[in-house]
Amino acid sequence: MTVSDVGVSDGRSREEVAASLEQLRPQFHTCYLKALQRKSDLRGKLELRWTIDASGSVGFAKLARTSLNSNEVITCVLNKLKSWKFPRSSADRAVASGTVVLNSPGY
């Protein structure tokens, strides 16, 4: 499982958002492993978009595109992202994006 193609608008650094996503990776992986027990050939990508407010809370998160055929994993990953607290910032709001590749049980 990898997290890649991290992007962010003004007010936050790409590195800061990427570091937070790395911390979230084990939670995303747990979502995937649960579904993988029921469907052993489950593989795909989730392209995510979300906003981060000044307090670090995620305002909204959505799936931009996917090749993963699992609403269970998609919902779980979005819920984990929505509940995550990014570092505080002086910027009002930033729009972020990233791709999660789910293709094997290992990290």
Side-chain angles (χ1 to χ4, degrees):
M1 185 189 131
T2 59
V3 176
S4 62
D5 301 328
V6 176
V8 67
S9 67
D10 296 337
R12 291 190 178 264
S13 74
R14 181 198 169 288
E15 292 76 18
E16 173 187 275
V17 173
S20 285
L21 288 179
E22 262 312 298
Q23 292 176 341
L24 258 171
R25 198 165 62 115
Q27 293 181 41
F28 292 166
H29 191 67
T30 299
C31 295
Y32 177 57
L33 287 179
K34 287 180 184 176
L36 196 60
Q37 292 173 353
R38 287 182 287 290
K39 188 173 181 186
S40 62
D41 64 342
L42 188 63
R43 308 281 186 273
K45 290 182 184 180
L46 304 175
E47 294 180 24
L48 308 171
R49 305 279 183 269
W50 67 97
T51 60
I52 309 167
D53 67 22
S55 71
S57 295
V58 173
F60 81 86
K62 69 177 185 172
L63 181 68
R65 187 178 6 211
T66 188
S67 62
L68 185 74
N69 188 19
S70 174
N71 286 333
E72 174 188 359
V73 175
I74 293 166
T75 300
C76 182
V77 166
L78 286 172
N79 285 338
K80 299 293 184 191
L81 181 58
K82 288 175 188 175
S83 66
W84 188 253
K85 193 78 163 170
F86 287 83
R88 291 183 159 278
S89 172
S90 59
D92 258 355
R93 185 182 86 148
V95 178
S97 61
T99 301
V100 179
V101 180
L102 303 162
N103 57 8
S104 71
Y107 267 56

